[in-house]
C-alpha cells in the first residue's frame, strides 16, 4: 500500500513527556512550550492530564496550564481524563478533547490506574457518555501493545479486544502505545494488522516510545499499512512513571524529518519545531534527546 499523503501528528510532549521528567516545569513554561508547538504547526497538542496529583504530581497544574495557553484557532488542546472527576476538571478547563487510557496488560493496568482492564473499561464508559453529552470528542489509548514491563509478551488479540471496546464506548480514535518501546517493525506491523481487523485503520494512531531506538522503523512499518496518525513528543521528552525503564516517545522532529523525506505532508515547520525542542531542553536543563535537534544545534531563536 502507498504511504499516506498526509499524516496527523499528535504532539504529546507536554503530557507524556513532562509527566515523567524529574524536573517539574512551572505552568507558565509549559504554556510557553505549548504555544511554540502550536506556532510550529502542530494541530493537536496533548497539553496535560487531569489525574490524581498523588499519582502524577508533574501534571497537578494542568488546569493552570490550560488557563495560560494562547489558544490558536484550528489547534485542538487535549488532556487525559481517567474518570468522571478528571473529566469534570477538564471540562472546566475548556479542554477541546479528552482521552481515556486502558492497557492490554492486566499488570500494567493495575500499576497505572489501580484497577484491572475490565474494571477500567467500566469506568471509562460513563466518562465517554458524559463527554458525548458535553460534545467533547474522546480518544482512547491502549498501553503495552508490544510488550509489558511486568508481564512481558502481550497477545495481539488482547490489544484488538481493548481497542474494539474503546471504539464501542464512543472513542473516535484509538492510540496504540508501545509504552516501553520494545517493539520491532515486524511485530509492530503484525499488531496493527490484527487491530485493524477489529477497528478501521483510519481510526488508529501509533504511539511508539523509542526506548530501544526502534520507533522510526516501527512507524515506517505501520505507515506502510496506511496508518496516518502518529503520536510524538518534542525533543523525545519523557516516558511513563508506571513503566520502569520507559524513555520518551519518538521525537516529533525526527518523525517530521522522516516524513518530509518521504514527501508526506504534516503542516509542521521543522525549524520552529527544533526551536521548541531546544526551548524545552533549556527549561529542563539538559540537551534534547532527538537526533535532529542535536544535529542541527541550538537555533538563535530558541532563547525565551
Ligand atoms: P485510585 O487511588 O484508585 O482512585 O486511583 P480513587 O478514586 O480511590 O481516589 C483516590 C484519590 O485520588 C482521592 O483523593 C481522589 O479524589 C483522587 P483523596 O480522597 O485521597 O484526597 N482522585 C483524583 N484527583 C484528581 N483528579 C482525578 C482524580 N481521581 C481520583 N481525576 C486513578 C485511580 C485513576 C485516579 C489514579 O490511578 C491515577 O490518577 N492514575 C493516573 C496514572 C497516569 O496518569 N499515568 C500516566 C498516563 S498513562 C501513559 O502514560 C501511557 C500512554 O502514554 C500510552 C502509552 O505510552 O502506552 C497514555
Ligand atoms: Mg506514552
Amino acid at each position: 500500500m502507498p504511504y499516506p499523503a498526509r499524516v496527523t501528528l499528535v504532539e504529546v510532549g507536554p503530557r507524556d513527556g513532562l509527566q515523567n521528567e524529574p524536573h517539574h516545569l512551572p505552568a507558565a513554561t509549559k504554556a510557553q512550550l505549548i504555544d511554540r508547538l502550536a506556532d510550529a504547526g502542530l494541530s493537536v497538542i496533548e497539553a496535560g492530564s487531569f489525574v490524581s496529583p498523588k499519582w502524577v504530581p508533574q501534571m497537578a497544574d494542568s488546569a493552570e496550564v490550560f488557563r495560560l495557553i494562547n489558544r490558536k484557532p484550528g489547534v485542538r488542546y487535549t488532556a487525559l481524563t481517567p474518570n468522571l472527576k478528571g473529566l469534570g476538571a477538564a471540562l472546566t478547563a475548556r479542554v477541546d478533547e479528552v482521552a481515556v487510557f486502558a492497557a492490554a496488560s492486566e499488570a500494567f493496568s493495575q500499576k497505572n490506574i489501580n484497577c484491572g482492564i475490565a474494571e477500567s473499561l467500566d469506568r471509562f464508559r460513563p466518562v465517554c457518555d458524559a463527554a458525548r453529552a458535553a460534545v467533547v470528542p474522546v480518544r482512547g489509548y491502549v498501553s503495552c501493545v508490544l510488550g509489558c514491563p511486568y508481564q512481558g509478551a502481550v497477545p495481539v488479540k488482547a490489544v484488538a479486544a481493548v481497542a474494539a471496546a474503546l471504539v464501542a464506548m464512543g472513542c473516535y480514535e484509538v492510540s496504540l502505545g508501545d509504552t516501553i518501546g520494545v517493539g520491532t517493525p515486524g511485530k509492530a506491523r503484525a499488531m496493527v494488522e490484527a487491530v485493524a481487523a477489529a477497528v478501521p485503520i483510519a481510526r488508529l494512531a501509533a504511539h511508539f516510545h523509542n526506548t530501544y531506538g526502534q520507533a522510526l522503523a516501527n512507524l515506517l512499518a505501520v505507515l506502510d499499512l496506511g496508518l496516518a496518525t502518529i503520536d510524538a513528543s518534542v525533543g523525545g521528552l519523557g516516558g511513563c512513571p508506571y513503566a520502569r525503564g520507559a524513555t520518551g516517545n519518538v521525537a516529533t522532529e525526527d518523525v517530521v524529518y522522516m516524513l518530509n523525506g518521504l514527501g508526506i505532508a504534516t503542516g509542521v515547520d521543522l525549524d520552529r519545531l527544533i526551536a521548541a525542542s531546544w526551548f524545552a531542553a533549556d527549561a529542563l536543563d539538559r540537551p534534547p534527546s532527538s537526533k535532529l535537534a542535536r544535529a542541527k544545534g541550538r537555533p538563535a531563536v530558541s532563547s525565551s
Side-chain angles (χ1 to χ4, degrees):
M1 182 162 187
Y3 293 129
R6 186 176 184 87
V7 156
T8 301
L9 290 171
V10 176
E11 171 57 53
V12 296
R15 192 280 303 172
D16 203 353
L18 296 183
Q19 76 179 8
N20 203 38
E21 291 290 341
H23 185 137
H24 293 208
L25 295 185
T29 309
K30 292 180 182 178
Q32 279 182 54
L33 172 63
I34 292 163
D35 289 347
R36 284 168 180 260
L37 293 166
D39 286 342
L42 287 151
S43 58
V44 191
I45 304 176
E46 202 169 67
S49 62
F50 293 88
V51 301
S52 163
K54 287 180 193 148
W55 286 65
V56 186
Q58 289 91 332
M59 292 289 112
D61 59 358
S62 288
E64 179 68 358
V65 172
F66 271 88
R67 200 179 62 73
L68 292 172
I69 50 182
N70 290 308
R71 293 179 195 240
K72 197 177 164 117
V75 175
R76 291 200 323 267
Y77 299 92
T78 73
L80 299 189
T81 54
N83 51 23
L84 285 170
K85 184 176 174 117
L87 178 70
L91 295 179
T92 303
R94 295 191 302 115
V95 170
D96 296 315
E97 175 183 314
V98 296
V100 292
F101 44 107
S105 140
E106 286 293 344
F108 184 83
S109 182
Q110 282 292 348
K111 295 272 185 194
N112 193 37
I113 50 174
N114 208 22
C115 64
I117 297 170
E119 191 182 339
S120 77
L121 297 174
D122 287 344
R123 288 184 188 178
F124 296 151
R125 267 181 215 101
V127 176
C128 288
D129 292 346
R132 190 180 310 113
V135 201
V136 169
V138 186
R139 189 178 209 228
Y141 278 100
V142 187
S143 284
C144 298
V145 298
L146 291 167
C148 166
Y150 311 106
Q151 145 185 339
V154 173
V156 292
K157 270 190 181 167
V159 181
V162 175
L166 290 169
V167 168
M169 71 177 74
C171 294
Y172 78 93
E173 180 173 276
V174 176
S175 176
L176 301 167
D178 182 10
T179 317
I180 52 170
V182 289
T184 46
K187 286 184 179 159
R189 187 183 171 97
M191 181 275 297
V192 169
E193 274 175 334
V195 178
V199 174
I201 199 150
R203 296 176 70 167
L204 297 178
H207 177 109
F208 295 162
H209 287 251
N210 198 32
T211 319
Y212 289 82
Q214 301 292 300
L216 284 179
N218 295 344
L219 286 174
L220 197 59
V222 303
L223 280 170
D224 192 43
L225 295 172
L227 185 141
T229 303
I230 293 176
D231 297 1
S233 176
V234 65
L237 293 176
C240 175
Y242 296 99
R244 202 181 123 259
T247 61
N249 296 82
V250 64
T252 316
E253 54 267 40
D254 290 345
V255 175
V256 171
Y257 183 80
M258 180 178 82
L259 297 177
N260 283 352
L262 290 166
I264 299 173
T266 61
V268 173
D269 179 316
L270 199 48
D271 289 336
R272 285 183 177 212
L273 181 58
I274 291 170
S277 182
W278 276 102
F279 174 83
D282 288 344
L284 292 165
D285 202 19
R286 63 160 176 75
S289 59
S290 86
K291 295 284 185 197
L292 204 71
R294 283 172 179 245
K296 293 270 191 185
R298 180 190 282 101
V301 290
S302 77
S303 58
S304 47

